[in-house]
Amino acid sequence: LPIHRQNFPRPLSKLNSLAVYGPGLIGGSILRACGKCFPDLELRVWGRSREHLEEVSRALHGRCFTSTDAVAVATGAEGVIFCTPVDFMEELAQKIAHAAGSARWFTDAGSVKGSLVLRLKKILGHRYLGAHPMAGSEKTGFANATESLFQNSVCILTPTAETADETQREVADFWRSLGCRITESDPFVHDQMVAQVSHLPHLAAAALVQAVGRDAFSVAGPGFRDSTRIAMGDAEMWAGILLENREAVLDALLNLETILQSATGALRSNDRDCILELLASAAEKRSQIF
Amino acid sequence: LPIHRQNFPRPLSKLNSLAVYGPGLIGGSILRACGKCFPDLELRVWGRSREHLEEVSRALHGRCFTSTDAVAVATGAEGVIFCTPVDFMEELAQKIAHAAGSARWFTDAGSVKGSLVLRLKKILGHRYLGAHPMAGSEKTGFANATESLFQNSVCILTPTAETADETQREVADFWRSLGCRITESDPFVHDQMVAQVSHLPHLAAAALVQAVGRDAFSVAGPGFRDSTRIAMGDAEMWAGILLENREAVLDALLNLETILQSATGALRSNDRDCILELLASAAEKRSQIF
């Protein structure tokens, strides 16, 4: 999808520099989109390895400041976005809070929000607004980043009572400028929702793959391919997400197990009505979602 | 995908007439492919409703004999294929066995093979060879049938000791002529394999949809969309398949439940290594399948 410039409204005309922490799939896609569409925006990138940062710099035709020094990247940035694994964000925020004293806003792209938002707002205050862009792929890393990743994806913002109005407006505009459709949620409600539509399906896809004997590989068709695609996601990243959100994931998982147990009972007793009801109501419900 | 004529070898030059029972997605796609690529092949079509058959006839430009009389359709056919729901095939076979006395071969497109093959071979003898083309979609019916449905899909043939060599060769050639890659399996081993890669994923997709609260719909992204697409399949058809194959589906389901219970325990005890091992081994295994 080409990025339509009309999707990129005022906010970034006001933003002179953006610091991106973690140029993986998400951070890299933000950089590519900004590099392409906002020629006057200064891009500052922090990553853990020099080689990785050199790849980023080449892709952006040198149009960025890159460093493995988190403080150096924060210095002078007006907007800051954390795209690292969620369990690393608090440490980063603490490290750069002082150097980013003049930043107007901070956001992040973490898949889990509840406790993370509490921890980051304690450090960054009213200038922080959590976000979760529902975009991505089983492919990870900067090599797979694309400028169009966020086009028409949903971005969930998770404001709290302390979030400044100005922060809320500017962060929403930033994500909107990448092509996102904005929605808002309480951070903990967010976690329950994504446990159901994202985290549980990841766990279930992995379990489905593990439930298949290697002999059966040869007959796997497009249904299996699609329903287990997300099982190829980055294991380290997803283990972090599942554990960070384990209360909500456990709730969703118990719900799934109850449904599967009921199906097991229905198959055992040859209860056609019960199986049909499960399949028919799921088909009807699923067809309303997209 | 265009159908390449070089994929269509000798067999159908020898086949003068084909009877198709059930012009839904599978039967309809066979008819469309044959109608396009084998101008000299007489197509005979049985369906339950006149209107439905008229739709088929229009799509094939009148180039077929259609009837709601199963016996009339069988008369004179050299090849016969059953594409109805599996629980209807035995009755049909019994009805047409006499009229199809001169048919060289019979096959079917049922998703479950074990007990079906036993029942059909009792009626049709050495001229019957079960088949399961691993093609399809959550969309059903003739309206969604396409001539390219089978291109590059796997078709599992399930011969028994009684299957004639000539039947095996001709039925394999027939499916190959539609674009299938042929593989063979014992009928009961087939059922265990498809329980794992097809039937269980369908049940799991339905359960995943049912485990989602309606509030969470709004944040469902591409991962959820793909992993639950098959939950939109025809509920009546899938209830029939799951119950027909319930022994093997129950084995696969118990396997899945054990894995999910282990994940539940790992999340409860915050056991990162166990979750990481599940995700990493699933990712590695899944990436080998396609």
Side-chain angles (χ1 to χ4, degrees), chain A residues 134 212 219 246 267 285, chain B residues 134 212 219 228 246 267 285:
Chain A
M134 302 288 287
V212 172
V219 298
R246 67 199 188 90
L267 283 174
K285 191 172 169 187
Chain B
M134 302 288 288
V212 171
V219 299
T228 60
R246 69 200 186 88
L267 284 173
K285 191 172 169 187

Side-chain angles (χ1 to χ4, degrees), chain A residues 163-176:
Chain A
T163 314
D165 288 349
E166 189 63 11
T167 303
Q168 192 149 345
R169 196 181 61 75
E170 290 204 41
V171 171
D173 280 350
F174 170 72
W175 286 107
R176 205 176 279 123

Side-chain angles (χ1 to χ4, degrees), chain A residues 280-289, chain B residues 209-214 217:
Chain A
S281 57
E284 192 259 334
K285 191 172 169 187
R286 172 60 176 75
S287 65
Q288 289 170 13
I289 301 181
Chain B
V209 169
Q210 291 303 74
V212 171
R214 288 192 183 261
F217 281 12

Side-chain angles (χ1 to χ4, degrees), chain B residues 171-210:
Chain B
V171 171
D173 280 350
F174 169 73
W175 285 108
R176 207 176 278 126
S177 77
L178 298 174
C180 295
R181 289 178 289 130
I182 302 298
T183 179
E184 283 186 12
S185 168
D186 169 82
F188 288 95
V189 172
H190 162 277
D191 286 359
Q192 287 172 335
M193 293 194 299
V194 295
Q196 292 167 24
V197 297
S198 172
H199 306 172
L200 178 64
H202 264 86
L203 199 52
L208 272 174
V209 169
Q210 291 303 74

